[in-house]
Amino acid sequence: KQWYQRRVRDHIFCIVFKTNLFKFRSSLQVMFQIYLLSALFISTALSDTCGQDRVVLGDWFVAHGSPDLLEEPIPPLVDYVTTNPYDDPSNPPPFPDVYCAMQWSNTTDPDSGLRRYRLRNFNTEEEAAAANYSITHKGHCGSCSTLQDLGVYIRQNLTDETRSCGMEGIISTKWQHECLQKIGFSEPCITIWAYNILNTRSDCFWVCMWSKIRNEPFNKPDGSLNDCLQCDEDKSGPNFKYFSGRTRRNSGIPSSIKRPDSQRYYMEHCYWYGDL
């Protein structure tokens, strides 16, 4: 894919130069045209959905990416979070600077007929590519790194929906669990989401209630997070990122919450098989 992108880019550059050579335009005009074409090419090449409909692609990954389809060996954090990580002040452990990647297996599940797949941590993108794996997000694999959870993250805006689940959790943990299930999360991923919601409710309840009453936008005029989201980011974010593995930011998925570009890992999720 990278080879193809370079060929297309080089072809575009060649056309621009030949056209302007005969029209005797200034070098400044030529450079400006190249810049615009390059920007257009890069923005298209780095679309997280590879140009596919977001809901259609997300639904495909949800249907084909259950954790039940994972083959051994499974990375250790791709599992249920059985104890509340926020109870241990030493959490989270240091984050390894790695990449979580997937690979489709040639074997199929006898019950569903779907292909199985593998998840594996790699030190570099090059190592993953050499092993014929596709990067699925930056950072180590965790409880939300399955392709089912990728589909959930791709197809919808999670901020409002997970907040609603948190409100239901004030009344009943069972209602909260069922709410997260309806969104489509895998059961292992639900466990870290539940602990994250519980911790944010404990540490940020009043600041978030005030934010909701005032109907504050997600971002302040200067681009920073509103007080509720900043509290969640500070108090719950580190453990959630460590144990979930996948986030929208490290999966290259846009969000209604504006974040600095430096916090987003730009990538594509073009590794489906068959028809969408």
Side-chain angles (χ1 to χ4, degrees), residues 3-266:
W3 173 85
Y4 173 75
Q5 291 174 353
R6 288 196 297 269
R7 289 294 300 274
V8 173
R9 180 195 61 201
D10 294 342
H11 184 61
I12 291 172
F13 287 0
C14 184
I15 292 172
V16 172
F17 274 117
K18 286 182 178 179
T19 301
N20 286 279
L21 179 64
F22 287 102
K23 292 185 177 181
F24 299 101
R25 292 181 179 176
S26 70
S27 60
L28 181 62
Q29 289 176 308
V30 175
M31 292 302 294
F32 182 66
Q33 287 181 340
I34 292 173
Y35 172 79
L36 291 178
L37 287 169
S38 299
L40 176 63
F41 176 77
I42 291 170
S43 64
T44 302
L46 293 179
S47 168
D48 64 306
T49 62
C50 301
Q52 302 299 318
D53 180 86
R54 186 167 296 282
V55 175
V56 171
L57 181 61
D59 287 346
W60 190 94
F61 279 124
V62 170
H64 295 75
S66 167
D68 294 335
L69 295 172
L70 282 170
E71 283 194 344
E72 298 286 351
I74 300 173
L77 291 176
V78 182
D79 201 354
Y80 293 82
V81 182
T82 56
T83 58
N84 189 340
Y86 297 96
D87 288 340
D88 185 348
S90 67
N91 280 329
F95 282 59
D97 187 18
V98 297
Y99 297 84
C100 180
M102 65 77 54
Q103 181 187 67
W104 292 110
S105 170
N106 290 324
T107 62
T108 57
D109 178 68
D111 296 324
S112 64
L114 299 175
R115 290 177 67 177
R116 296 187 178 277
Y117 68 100
R118 308 176 187 93
L119 289 177
R120 181 177 161 189
N121 293 315
F122 289 90
N123 290 321
T124 66
E125 296 164 298
E126 292 74 20
E127 281 186 14
N132 201 27
Y133 274 70
S134 299
I135 302 293
T136 189
H137 66 77
K138 195 175 190 302
H140 59 271
C141 303
S143 61
C144 297
S145 295
T146 71
L147 299 188
Q148 176 178 334
D149 298 304
L150 168 64
V152 173
Y153 279 55
I154 281 181
R155 72 184 181 184
Q156 60 206 304
N157 171 29
L158 291 173
T159 306
D160 291 331
E161 295 194 24
T162 52
R163 276 186 171 183
S164 296
C165 293
M167 296 300 291
E168 292 189 28
I170 296 174
I171 303 171
S172 166
T173 55
K174 181 175 182 291
W175 288 4
Q176 176 178 285
H177 187 90
E178 291 174 350
C179 180
L180 293 169
Q181 284 180 319
K182 288 176 184 177
I183 292 175
F185 289 119
S186 70
E187 289 297 327
C189 187
I190 286 176
T191 58
I192 186 57
W193 268 102
Y195 285 130
N196 175 80
I197 291 170
L198 180 64
N199 190 72
T200 299
R201 186 187 305 146
S202 172
D203 289 354
C204 308
F205 180 82
W206 292 112
V207 67
C208 287
M209 284 298 294
W210 182 239
S211 177
K212 187 172 183 62
I213 291 170
R214 297 179 63 188
N215 196 29
E216 291 180 339
F218 295 145
N219 295 90
K220 296 180 179 181
D222 64 358
S224 61
L225 300 177
N226 69 33
D227 292 342
C228 174
L229 290 175
Q230 190 61 59
C231 182
D232 174 71
E233 180 80 7
D234 296 339
K235 301 293 187 180
S236 299
N239 273 324
F240 180 80
K241 293 171 190 175
Y242 181 85
F243 289 95
S244 69
R246 183 187 303 284
T247 66
R248 283 171 290 187
R249 278 173 278 173
N250 72 9
S251 301
I253 300 170
S255 167
S256 55
I257 304 172
K258 296 178 182 178
R259 309 275 189 173
D261 282 345
S262 60
Q263 294 183 9
R264 185 176 169 192
Y265 175 66
Y266 287 89

